[in-house]
Amino acid sequence: MASDIQPQPQARKPCLLSKIEAFQEVVSTAVIIPKEDGVISVSEDRTIRVWLKRDSGQYWPSVYHTMPCKSEFVLAEDYNKMTPARTYQAHQSRVTVVLFVLEMEWLLSTSQDKNFTWHCSESGQQLGTYRTSAWVSGLQFDVETRHAFVGDQSGQVTILKLEQDSCSLVTTFKGHTGNVTALCWDPVQRVLFSGSSDHSIIMWDIGGRKGTAIELQGHNDKVQGLCYASHTRQLISCSADGGIVIWNMDVTRQETPEWLDSDSCQKCEQPFFWNFKQMWDSKKIGLRQHHCRKCGQAVCGKCSSKRSTIPLMGFEFEVRVCDSCYESISDEDRAPTATFHDSKHSIVHMHYEPTAGNLLTSGTDKVIKVWMETGSLT
């Protein structure tokens, strides 16, 4: 039987187009203005700035304003004037995420005060609030179902059903060992991506109702941003060490197995060090327990001496596998499904603009970088 040929990731590399400097503080949020050579940035000094690309190819500030709190501004058509429109009194602590839902005319926000709120952007009236168990660091919204996805510092993702003036808890799920740092929602495939300080990304199958959770392991530091290009089925992720990973999601990925419990190696049956009875009976010293990342079996170090990448299971780096699983992994199975790039600054925020296929990163070096994908993501 002929084996299925999996699509290979195209050799695409982020090409640096421009740098925007002259910030006094770190830029916590920034977006590329669609169909314009411009960027809107918000920095830690509470200033919001609009940058336009000049004929020289450099970005220069056209206008800026200081924000007292969560505020709404109206930009002139030429982007040279910014007029305060409304101030939203919603939180008692620092705001962590703000999301505007144009279709609903809702403004969603979260804060370190552990409150998730939504306002009507037309009237400015607060429609509702929900108390979270930990402060929220990731927020996404599905217009079709009115579901809000809330990721917090405990590593949990909560799904809420929002109404005009109320909300209800749908479910919660947890797969990260660290706090959730970023969320990304694909309304077409109905898949939620979550990034974490544990260096991992999890792809949650929401629409398929299968409860599938696919892990992606390709970063050496905490994940700081996630963006999804639905037309090319590529996930873009960035981390605090400056790494940018472009994942090919147009492949049939495999769910990682649950780790099995055992008092002895499931290959050679040698006892583990806590199995005193078997150690006494066999007069053998107990061994340390490990797990094969491919089959999930509990094995000793001797029976899992090999390392291998398993890209279709999300392991782009070499991981521990048992000897029998190692023999079953072919060179084709080891073909990478992601490409890796260095932004050369410690990333704190990322934004992807699908119209032109450009990427924006801001770092702890107080610099914004605008990238274009060679080969294009569009």
Side-chain angles (χ1 to χ4, degrees):
M1 180 183 294
S3 61
D4 293 335
I5 299 176
Q6 298 288 352
Q8 299 299 317
Q10 299 182 25
R12 288 170 173 156
K13 181 180 180 181
C15 175
L16 183 62
L17 293 178
S18 302
K19 288 184 181 181
I20 306 177
E21 302 182 58
F23 290 101
Q24 298 299 315
E25 298 290 342
V26 172
V27 174
S28 54
T29 302
V31 296
I32 300 171
I33 303 174
K35 302 180 181 179
E36 295 284 345
D37 285 329
V39 169
I40 301 175
S41 66
V42 178
S43 63
E44 295 289 342
D45 60 7
R46 292 189 173 184
T47 58
I48 179 170
R49 300 174 184 264
V50 179
W51 305 79
L52 296 180
K53 196 172 186 179
R54 308 303 181 182
D55 293 339
S56 63
Q58 299 297 314
Y59 284 87
W60 290 91
S62 64
V63 64
Y64 81 95
H65 207 287
T66 301
M67 299 184 299
C69 54
K70 192 172 74 172
S71 305
E72 178 182 332
F73 296 87
V74 176
L75 275 175
E77 290 187 6
D78 61 1
Y79 298 100
N80 286 312
K81 184 178 181 181
M82 188 186 308
T83 306
R86 181 178 287 114
T87 297
Y88 296 86
Q89 300 295 335
H91 299 286
Q92 301 299 317
S93 299
R94 176 176 175 170
V95 174
T96 55
V97 187
V98 176
L99 184 63
F100 176 55
V101 184
L102 177 62
E103 296 87 347
M104 309 297 299
E105 295 183 340
W106 285 354
L107 187 68
L108 315 181
S109 64
T110 62
S111 166
Q112 289 184 349
D113 62 11
K114 300 182 182 179
N115 284 330
F116 162 61
T117 66
W118 63 106
H119 286 73
C120 173
S121 61
E122 286 293 298
S123 65
Q125 178 183 0
Q126 181 172 310
L127 300 176
T129 184
Y130 180 86
R131 183 76 172 174
T132 58
S133 58
W135 67 268
V136 175
S137 44
L139 178 63
Q140 290 285 280
F141 185 77
D142 180 51
V143 174
E144 182 181 342
T145 62
R146 297 189 182 184
H147 283 158
F149 305 99
V150 181
D152 63 39
Q153 290 290 297
S154 73
Q156 179 175 279
V157 177
T158 302
I159 302 181
L160 301 173
K161 172 76 170 181
L162 297 192
E163 302 296 347
Q164 188 66 24
D165 56 0
S166 65
C167 77
S168 56
L169 174 65
V170 177
T171 188
T172 60
F173 40 87
K174 186 172 182 178
H176 292 290
T177 57
N179 55 289
V180 174
T181 52
L183 291 179
C184 180
W185 170 245
D186 173 24
V188 178
Q189 300 295 323
R190 309 203 65 75
V191 167
L192 180 72
F193 299 96
S194 62
S196 171
S197 60
D198 64 11
H199 309 176
S200 74
I201 300 165
I202 298 180
M203 180 179 72
W204 307 91
D205 182 0
I206 304 296
R209 302 180 184 276
K210 300 174 183 178
T212 305
I214 305 294
E215 292 185 42
L216 301 175
Q217 301 282 353
H219 286 286
N220 292 310
D221 207 333
K222 62 180 178 180
V223 178
Q224 293 285 65
L226 295 169
C227 300
Y228 186 68
S230 58
H231 48 293
T232 57
R233 307 253 343 240
Q234 288 180 307
L235 177 71
I236 310 166
S237 60
C238 66
S239 55
D241 62 0
I244 298 176
V245 181
I246 302 175
W247 305 84
N248 177 18
M249 302 308 296
D250 195 21
V251 295
T252 303
R253 294 190 175 272
Q254 303 168 17
E255 191 171 10
T256 53
E258 291 187 11
W259 287 2
L260 303 177
D261 294 325
S262 179
D263 290 329
S264 58
C265 176
Q266 293 181 296
K267 295 296 182 181
C268 68
E269 299 184 350
Q270 288 265 43
F272 293 132
F273 64 82
W274 62 81
N275 190 348
F276 298 111
K277 184 180 185 304
Q278 188 176 346
M279 283 193 293
W280 178 265
D281 292 342
S282 61
K283 302 296 187 294
K284 293 180 179 179
I285 297 175
L287 304 176
R288 184 182 175 186
Q289 182 190 47
H290 300 282
H291 282 92
C292 172
R293 299 307 191 270
K294 190 173 190 299
C295 68
Q297 286 191 321
V299 290
C300 66
K302 184 178 179 180
C303 294
S304 59
S305 61
K306 307 293 186 181
R307 302 291 185 275
S308 176
T309 61
I310 320 175
L312 293 181
M313 297 185 80
F315 297 115
E316 294 288 339
F317 302 149
E318 289 190 344
V319 291
R320 180 185 296 271
V321 293
C322 65
D323 293 354
S324 57
C325 281
Y326 181 84
E327 296 299 326
S328 70
I329 301 173
S330 66
D331 290 340
E332 185 179 353
D333 293 333
R334 294 187 177 94
T337 62
T339 56
F340 300 83
H341 315 280
D342 184 8
S343 69
K344 300 189 184 302
H345 68 164
S346 179
I347 298 173
V348 298
H349 173 75
M350 179 178 68
H351 176 251
Y352 173 65
E353 205 291 295
T355 305
N358 288 341
L359 187 70
L360 175 151
T361 59
S362 63
T364 56
D365 54 2
K366 304 175 186 178
V367 174
I368 290 177
K369 295 184 179 181
V370 181
W371 310 81
M372 177 185 69
E373 288 289 329
T374 57
S376 179
L377 286 174
T378 58

